[in-house]
Amino acid sequence: MPRTNTIRIAPAPVETDLQRVQALLRKQREFFDGGHTLDLNFRKERLRDLQQAIRQHEQELFDAMYTDFHKPEMEAYATEVGFVELELKLTLKNLKNWAKPQRVKESLINFPSRSYIHSDPYGIALIIGPWNYPFQLLLNPLIGAMAAGNCAIVKPSELTPHTSEVVAKMIQNNFDDSYVATVQGGVSTTQHLLQQRFDYIFFTGSTQVGKIVMKAAAEHLTPVTLELGGKSPAIVAQDADLSLAARRIAWGKFLNAGQTCVAPDYLLVHEQVKEELIQLISQYIQNFYGEDPQQSPDYARIVNGRHFNRLSSFLKDGIVRAGGSTDASSRYIAPTLLDQVTWQHPIMQEEIFGPILPVLTFTSLDEAIDMVRQHEKPLALYFFSSDEQKKEQILKHTYFGGGCINDTISHLINPNLPFGGVGHSGMGSYHGQSSFDLFSQQKSVLHRGTWLDLPLRYPPYGNRLPMLRKLFKWL
Ligand code: NAD
């Protein structure tokens, strides 16, 4: 499909009514109760169906993401379609192993016995996605939910209607809605969904809506995973490889035009190397996107007018050192470096979620650590240094969901690292086996031998307490 510079305005979402939501839930409940999803072959076949469906819809997905906010095809593949395909491949390869009852060590006090953890599906999972990675952040949790044997209802974001439409079509054409269904709509639809009793809720989005989700879940005591956002710092020490740090920070920040939950939100740089780092990042912006990033095919747009206006207003919060230009008609904001910013400026009061990188400085690592610790625990933290002691100091004294030393974003590419936030940046984590575990209720079962039944535990206890104490000491 030819790429144009014009950007579509998303129409108001068509909401899904309460009756349809309730009817879907009834159907899924009946299907789940039928036990079909307990069969590992069923799960694998459906995951293969999903794999096939994604392959068939790949180009349509690329086109839709471009229409929604000019997501470059390379990024749409690397961070969305290809990323999900990797997760599917890993899950199909390991599912049998993940799903089998895991034997654990015995406690001698139960002799003779064998103990196992069984992974049970919860039932019906609700997966609510955001707009910034509209495919990956809906499909990756869905893979975990399906692998663990759940039914699922997915609610894509209304802010990326073209992508959401392809996802809905893909799911509708490949799955019976009694097993996996898409429900489209905005706030009112999500409210209808949240009023229902699900068995698990997986939400990705803002901290503010995360609180709404958790309150609704509490009503039914439904377990939740919240994948939220926050202000993730990139901290650069004076001994860092500055050129590499600049390149990796610029990439992590301006990927998807800064609309990435784990993008470096702000730069915290040792004051001695600040000027050099600013020069280097400016240079890399030019290397990546050319003299005029608006003409670059590799640079995305802001998702809607509200976010464009919010982000544009931040430009007055400091001195522009690179970028700074905007174009409302195409919702373009140049990759921007903002100097002389303080924590009192509006840009530092909320998650930026756009291509503006404020620069703050520190004079000692303790000061940088204090600054991070005075704010909510971020989803990610990136530290650039060549000094092992400093790395240890940062890791020991800062609290965050996950992160990298000498890189940005890459931690979430390793499926063996559980991905999630802490505190205001979220709870629960997924990817790879963690996704399977997350969507599974771990049922602990002890199988007790019948050939021995010591009388010690049975009343009347008489004077057995000293013997019990001795036994406990010995264990
Ligand atoms: P959002 O919270 O506005 O919306 C997320 C979902 O919630 C959407 O499907 C939307 O329809 C629904 N929603 C919005 N308002 C609602 C309300 N009042 N009641 C009920 N439902 C409502 O988030 P967003 O703008 O789509 O995404 C951006 C946010 O998501 C950022 O904060 C970002 O950091 C975060 N995020 C986190 C991760 C992660 O993995 N931790 C990934 C991507 C984005």
Side-chain angles (χ1 to χ4, degrees), residues 43-320:
R43 298 185 205 175
K44 278 190 175 171
E45 278 164 26
R46 298 294 80 77
L47 288 168
R48 281 194 203 101
D49 290 344
L50 185 61
Q51 204 170 33
Q52 190 63 21
I54 293 171
R55 280 183 198 139
Q56 279 164 0
H57 289 81
E58 184 177 276
Q59 193 55 48
E60 245 183 297
L61 285 163
F62 291 161
D63 291 344
M65 285 187 253
Y66 188 82
T67 309
D68 281 328
F69 59 120
H70 286 202
K71 194 182 276 261
E73 201 159 296
M74 167 88 174
E75 290 182 14
Y77 179 75
T79 65
E80 304 255 19
V81 177
F83 194 85
V84 169
E85 282 177 342
L86 284 179
E87 182 82 358
L88 261 170
K89 215 156 65 172
L90 182 88
T91 306
L92 278 163
K93 188 169 164 215
N94 294 291
L95 183 56
K96 193 171 161 207
N97 207 19
W98 295 344
K100 70 175 181 229
Q102 309 288 332
R103 181 146 187 207
V104 296
K105 263 179 93 173
E106 297 314 324
S107 63
L108 263 182
I109 208 154
N110 281 328
F111 182 81
S113 68
R114 280 173 294 120
S115 296
Y116 295 89
I117 300 169
H118 295 255
S119 294
D120 277 357
Y122 278 100
I124 305 173
L126 170 63
I127 298 168
I128 303 175
W131 55 265
N132 62 329
Y133 289 87
F135 183 70
Q136 186 227 126
L137 295 173
L138 209 59
L139 269 288
N140 259 20
L142 176 63
I143 293 167
M146 288 168 66
N150 298 278
C151 294
I153 291 182
V154 298
K155 210 297 280 173
S157 172
E158 68 279 20
L159 299 192
T160 42
H162 299 91
T163 314
S164 300
E165 192 55 42
V166 180
V167 170
K169 190 174 74 174
M170 192 182 89
I171 287 178
Q172 195 184 353
N173 290 345
N174 288 279
F175 298 105
D176 195 290
D177 62 8
S178 58
Y179 173 47
V180 177
T182 311
V183 166
Q184 291 212 68
V187 174
S188 132
T189 299
T190 319
Q191 282 166 347
H192 290 152
L193 285 164
L194 290 173
Q195 281 162 17
Q196 311 309 310
R197 181 170 181 172
F198 282 88
D199 302 301
Y200 204 94
I201 299 180
F202 187 103
F203 171 80
T204 308
S206 59
T207 303
Q208 187 197 350
V209 179
K211 290 180 187 175
I212 296 174
V213 170
M214 196 161 167
K215 272 191 195 140
E219 196 56 42
H220 302 290
L221 289 181
T222 301
V224 288
T225 292
L226 301 176
E227 296 284 339
L228 311 175
K231 290 187 85 62
S232 303
I235 306 173
V236 183
Q238 69 271 46
D239 51 52
D241 177 336
L242 289 185
S243 176
L244 200 62
R247 182 147 67 154
R248 292 177 176 175
I249 290 169
W251 172 73
K253 178 68 183 183
F254 302 115
L255 175 84
N256 212 32
Q259 301 163 116
T260 302
C261 56
V262 285
D265 184 272
Y266 61 97
L267 191 60
L268 200 48
V269 53
H270 193 281
E271 64 172 12
Q272 274 174 13
V273 292
K274 173 184 133 182
E275 280 307 317
E276 194 180 344
L277 191 65
I278 287 180
Q279 298 302 330
L280 284 163
I281 295 180
S282 308
Q283 188 55 55
Y284 279 116
I285 292 174
Q286 220 179 85
N287 294 357
F288 292 173
Y289 307 110
E291 285 287 338
D292 179 8
Q294 195 168 3
Q295 305 308 322
S296 167
D298 300 328
Y299 188 63
R301 295 297 182 263
I302 305 308
V303 72
N304 65 11
R306 180 170 67 84
H307 283 293
F308 174 84
N309 293 335
R310 181 182 65 81
L311 289 163
S312 302
S313 76
F314 290 152
L315 293 170
K316 62 178 179 344
D317 287 355
I319 310 280
V320 170

Side-chain angles (χ1 to χ4, degrees), residues 311-469:
L311 289 163
S312 302
S313 76
F314 290 152
L315 293 170
K316 62 178 179 344
D317 287 355
I319 310 280
V320 170
R321 298 291 303 273
S325 59
T326 63
D327 172 30
S329 68
S330 60
R331 299 199 301 263
Y332 163 80
I333 297 181
T336 297
L337 275 178
L338 213 56
D339 197 3
Q340 309 292 324
V341 175
T342 68
W343 283 98
Q344 280 66 49
H345 284 111
I347 194 170
M348 294 308 289
Q349 307 285 312
E350 60 180 83
E351 180 183 12
I352 300 168
F353 221 55
I356 308 171
L357 185 63
V359 183
L360 286 88
T361 57
F362 63 89
T363 50
S364 73
L365 202 54
D366 283 339
E367 189 194 349
I369 289 171
D370 280 351
M371 255 189 251
V372 173
R373 288 183 62 138
Q374 276 163 22
H375 298 88
E376 295 296 346
K377 293 169 185 166
L379 181 60
L381 183 146
Y382 306 113
F383 182 53
F384 292 84
S385 170
S386 54
D387 182 321
E388 294 308 316
Q389 262 180 350
K390 285 186 185 144
K391 292 177 197 172
E392 209 173 296
Q393 195 182 346
I394 281 282
L395 289 181
K396 206 165 180 179
H397 298 292
T398 57
Y399 299 99
F400 54 94
C404 307
I405 302 289
N406 290 321
D407 203 356
T408 60
I409 312 240
S410 305
H411 61 297
L412 68 86
I413 298 163
N414 180 355
N416 301 314
L417 284 174
F419 173 70
V422 53
H424 280 220
S425 58
M427 60 179 70
S429 44
Y430 73 128
H431 285 180
Q433 186 173 1
S434 312
S435 289
F436 176 86
D437 292 344
L438 183 97
F439 282 102
S440 302
Q441 140 69 9
Q442 303 203 321
K443 188 162 76 183
S444 298
V445 179
L446 179 131
H447 296 245
R448 196 69 194 258
T450 51
W451 56 271
L452 181 70
D453 193 27
L454 296 173
L456 180 66
R457 65 171 153 162
Y458 300 113
Y461 301 125
N463 57 358
R464 289 187 213 136
L465 184 57
M467 200 198 324
L468 192 66
R469 281 188 193 282

